[in-house]
PDB file of all heavy atoms in Angstrom:
ATOM      1  N   GLN N 582       1.316 154.000 -64.867  1.00 90.00           N
ATOM      2  CA  GLN N 582       0.964 153.093 -65.914  1.00 90.00           C
ATOM      3  C   GLN N 582       0.440 151.820 -65.479  1.00 90.00           C
ATOM      4  O   GLN N 582      -0.623 151.394 -66.048  1.00 90.00           O
ATOM      5  CB  GLN N 582       2.282 152.883 -66.792  1.00 90.00           C
ATOM      6  CG  GLN N 582       2.154 152.059 -67.956  1.00 90.00           C
ATOM      7  CD  GLN N 582       1.471 152.849 -69.179  1.00 90.00           C
ATOM      8  OE1 GLN N 582       2.004 153.850 -69.603  1.00 90.00           O
ATOM      9  NE2 GLN N 582       0.380 152.355 -69.584  1.00 90.00           N
ATOM     10  N   LEU N 583       1.068 151.255 -64.516  1.00 92.00           N
ATOM     11  CA  LEU N 583       0.667 149.959 -64.081  1.00 92.00           C
ATOM     12  C   LEU N 583      -0.698 150.002 -63.541  1.00 92.00           C
ATOM     13  O   LEU N 583      -1.564 149.215 -63.829  1.00 92.00           O
ATOM     14  CB  LEU N 583       1.629 149.493 -62.996  1.00 92.00           C
ATOM     15  CG  LEU N 583       1.508 147.955 -62.619  1.00 92.00           C
ATOM     16  CD1 LEU N 583       2.925 147.385 -62.232  1.00 92.00           C
ATOM     17  CD2 LEU N 583       0.712 147.746 -61.389  1.00 92.00           C
ATOM     18  N   LEU N 584      -1.004 151.030 -62.788  1.00 91.00           N
ATOM     19  CA  LEU N 584      -2.459 151.145 -62.209  1.00 91.00           C
ATOM     20  C   LEU N 584      -3.481 151.431 -63.198  1.00 91.00           C
ATOM     21  O   LEU N 584      -4.566 150.798 -63.217  1.00 91.00           O
ATOM     22  CB  LEU N 584      -2.458 152.306 -61.133  1.00 91.00           C
ATOM     23  CG  LEU N 584      -1.560 152.025 -59.915  1.00 91.00           C
ATOM     24  CD1 LEU N 584      -1.309 153.327 -59.112  1.00 91.00           C
ATOM     25  CD2 LEU N 584      -2.090 150.929 -59.051  1.00 91.00           C
ATOM     26  N   ASP N 585      -3.109 152.123 -64.198  1.00 89.00           N
ATOM     27  CA  ASP N 585      -4.099 152.461 -65.344  1.00 89.00           C
ATOM     28  C   ASP N 585      -4.320 151.111 -66.075  1.00 89.00           C
ATOM     29  O   ASP N 585      -5.470 150.781 -66.422  1.00 89.00           O
ATOM     30  CB  ASP N 585      -3.511 153.461 -66.358  1.00 89.00           C
ATOM     31  CG  ASP N 585      -3.511 154.781 -65.785  1.00 89.00           C
ATOM     32  OD1 ASP N 585      -4.112 155.062 -64.793  1.00 89.00           O
ATOM     33  OD2 ASP N 585      -2.859 155.725 -66.414  1.00 89.00           O
ATOM     34  N   ASP N 586      -3.258 150.398 -66.368  1.00 88.00           N
ATOM     35  CA  ASP N 586      -3.411 149.101 -67.136  1.00 88.00           C
ATOM     36  C   ASP N 586      -4.303 148.124 -66.142  1.00 88.00           C
ATOM     37  O   ASP N 586      -5.018 147.363 -66.723  1.00 88.00           O
ATOM     38  CB  ASP N 586      -2.048 148.504 -67.323  1.00 88.00           C
ATOM     39  CG  ASP N 586      -1.397 149.271 -68.390  1.00 88.00           C
ATOM     40  OD1 ASP N 586      -1.938 150.087 -69.155  1.00 88.00           O
ATOM     41  OD2 ASP N 586      -0.111 149.139 -68.498  1.00 88.00           O
ATOM     42  N   LEU N 587      -4.013 148.200 -64.967  1.00 90.00           N
ATOM     43  CA  LEU N 587      -4.698 147.200 -64.086  1.00 90.00           C
ATOM     44  C   LEU N 587      -6.228 147.572 -64.061  1.00 90.00           C
ATOM     45  O   LEU N 587      -7.021 146.740 -64.037  1.00 90.00           O
ATOM     46  CB  LEU N 587      -4.199 147.390 -62.624  1.00 90.00           C
ATOM     47  CG  LEU N 587      -4.739 146.362 -61.632  1.00 90.00           C
ATOM     48  CD1 LEU N 587      -4.334 144.957 -62.022  1.00 90.00           C
ATOM     49  CD2 LEU N 587      -4.284 146.612 -60.179  1.00 90.00           C
ATOM     50  N   GLN N 588      -6.476 148.827 -64.123  1.00 86.00           N
ATOM     51  CA  GLN N 588      -7.912 149.228 -64.133  1.00 86.00           C
ATOM     52  C   GLN N 588      -8.615 148.664 -65.400  1.00 86.00           C
ATOM     53  O   GLN N 588      -9.737 148.434 -65.297  1.00 86.00           O
ATOM     54  CB  GLN N 588      -8.115 150.811 -64.135  1.00 86.00           C
ATOM     55  CG  GLN N 588      -7.852 151.341 -62.720  1.00 86.00           C
ATOM     56  CD  GLN N 588      -8.553 152.694 -62.632  1.00 86.00           C
ATOM     57  OE1 GLN N 588      -8.712 153.401 -63.667  1.00 86.00           O
ATOM     58  NE2 GLN N 588      -8.849 153.151 -61.377  1.00 86.00           N
ATOM     59  N   LYS N 589      -7.864 148.564 -66.449  1.00 84.00           N
ATOM     60  CA  LYS N 589      -8.504 148.072 -67.725  1.00 84.00           C
ATOM     61  C   LYS N 589      -8.513 146.583 -67.723  1.00 84.00           C
ATOM     62  O   LYS N 589      -8.871 145.940 -68.911  1.00 84.00           O
ATOM     63  CB  LYS N 589      -7.723 148.677 -68.876  1.00 84.00           C
ATOM     64  CG  LYS N 589      -7.789 150.113 -68.872  1.00 84.00           C
ATOM     65  CD  LYS N 589      -7.297 150.653 -70.263  1.00 84.00           C
ATOM     66  CE  LYS N 589      -6.701 151.974 -70.181  1.00 84.00           C
ATOM     67  NZ  LYS N 589      -5.156 151.834 -69.961  1.00 84.00           N
ATOM     68  N   THR N 590      -7.991 145.885 -66.812  1.00 84.00           N
ATOM     69  CA  THR N 590      -7.785 144.435 -66.868  1.00 84.00           C
ATOM     70  C   THR N 590      -8.904 143.617 -66.168  1.00 84.00           C
ATOM     71  O   THR N 590      -9.377 143.857 -65.208  1.00 84.00           O
ATOM     72  CB  THR N 590      -6.430 144.035 -66.295  1.00 84.00           C
ATOM     73  OG1 THR N 590      -5.361 144.701 -66.982  1.00 84.00           O
ATOM     74  CG2 THR N 590      -6.147 142.583 -66.284  1.00 84.00           C
ATOM     75  N   GLU N 591      -9.303 142.579 -66.943  1.00 81.00           N
ATOM     76  CA  GLU N 591     -10.236 141.615 -66.441  1.00 81.00           C
ATOM     77  C   GLU N 591      -9.592 140.724 -65.377  1.00 81.00           C
ATOM     78  O   GLU N 591      -8.422 140.616 -65.387  1.00 81.00           O
ATOM     79  CB  GLU N 591     -10.734 140.655 -67.629  1.00 81.00           C
ATOM     80  CG  GLU N 591     -11.592 141.487 -68.530  1.00 81.00           C
ATOM     81  CD  GLU N 591     -11.565 140.922 -69.923  1.00 81.00           C
ATOM     82  OE1 GLU N 591     -10.770 140.049 -70.275  1.00 81.00           O
ATOM     83  OE2 GLU N 591     -12.519 141.282 -70.676  1.00 81.00           O
ATOM     84  N   ASN N 592     -10.401 140.260 -64.509  1.00 80.00           N
ATOM     85  CA  ASN N 592     -10.031 139.390 -63.355  1.00 80.00           C
ATOM     86  C   ASN N 592      -8.886 140.094 -62.534  1.00 80.00           C
ATOM     87  O   ASN N 592      -7.930 139.464 -61.998  1.00 80.00           O
ATOM     88  CB  ASN N 592      -9.309 138.129 -63.901  1.00 80.00           C
ATOM     89  CG  ASN N 592     -10.327 137.331 -64.762  1.00 80.00           C
ATOM     90  OD1 ASN N 592     -11.549 137.157 -64.276  1.00 80.00           O
ATOM     91  ND2 ASN N 592      -9.924 136.893 -65.885  1.00 80.00           N
ATOM     92  N   ARG N 593      -8.992 141.431 -62.380  1.00 82.00           N
ATOM     93  CA  ARG N 593      -7.815 142.150 -61.795  1.00 82.00           C
ATOM     94  C   ARG N 593      -7.673 142.058 -60.338  1.00 82.00           C
ATOM     95  O   ARG N 593      -6.781 142.549 -59.786  1.00 82.00           O
ATOM     96  CB  ARG N 593      -7.899 143.616 -62.272  1.00 82.00           C
ATOM     97  CG  ARG N 593      -9.127 144.335 -61.645  1.00 82.00           C
ATOM     98  CD  ARG N 593      -9.019 145.839 -62.060  1.00 82.00           C
ATOM     99  NE  ARG N 593     -10.083 146.548 -61.621  1.00 82.00           N
ATOM    100  CZ  ARG N 593     -11.374 146.562 -62.227  1.00 82.00           C
ATOM    101  NH1 ARG N 593     -11.481 145.724 -63.246  1.00 82.00           N
ATOM    102  NH2 ARG N 593     -12.241 147.290 -61.791  1.00 82.00           N
ATOM    103  N   LEU N 594      -8.717 141.426 -59.664  1.00 83.00           N
ATOM    104  CA  LEU N 594      -8.508 141.385 -58.178  1.00 83.00           C
ATOM    105  C   LEU N 594      -7.472 140.236 -57.701  1.00 83.00           C
ATOM    106  O   LEU N 594      -6.985 140.309 -56.618  1.00 83.00           O
ATOM    107  CB  LEU N 594      -9.917 141.038 -57.615  1.00 83.00           C
ATOM    108  CG  LEU N 594     -10.845 142.254 -57.728  1.00 83.00           C
ATOM    109  CD1 LEU N 594     -12.122 141.986 -57.016  1.00 83.00           C
ATOM    110  CD2 LEU N 594     -10.316 143.590 -57.238  1.00 83.00           C
ATOM    111  N   THR N 595      -7.176 139.410 -58.593  1.00 84.00           N
ATOM    112  CA  THR N 595      -6.151 138.416 -58.160  1.00 84.00           C
ATOM    113  C   THR N 595      -5.090 138.269 -59.334  1.00 84.00           C
ATOM    114  O   THR N 595      -5.476 138.349 -60.489  1.00 84.00           O
ATOM    115  CB  THR N 595      -6.819 136.997 -57.916  1.00 84.00           C
ATOM    116  OG1 THR N 595      -7.501 136.558 -59.042  1.00 84.00           O
ATOM    117  CG2 THR N 595      -7.743 137.026 -56.737  1.00 84.00           C
TER     118      THR N 595
END
Side-chain angles (χ1 to χ4, degrees):
Q582 179 77 57
L583 194 144
L584 295 167
D585 287 350
D586 292 341
L587 187 64
Q588 282 203 337
K589 298 194 210 89
T590 296
E591 290 154 341
N592 300 311
R593 66 177 174 281
L594 294 186
T595 57

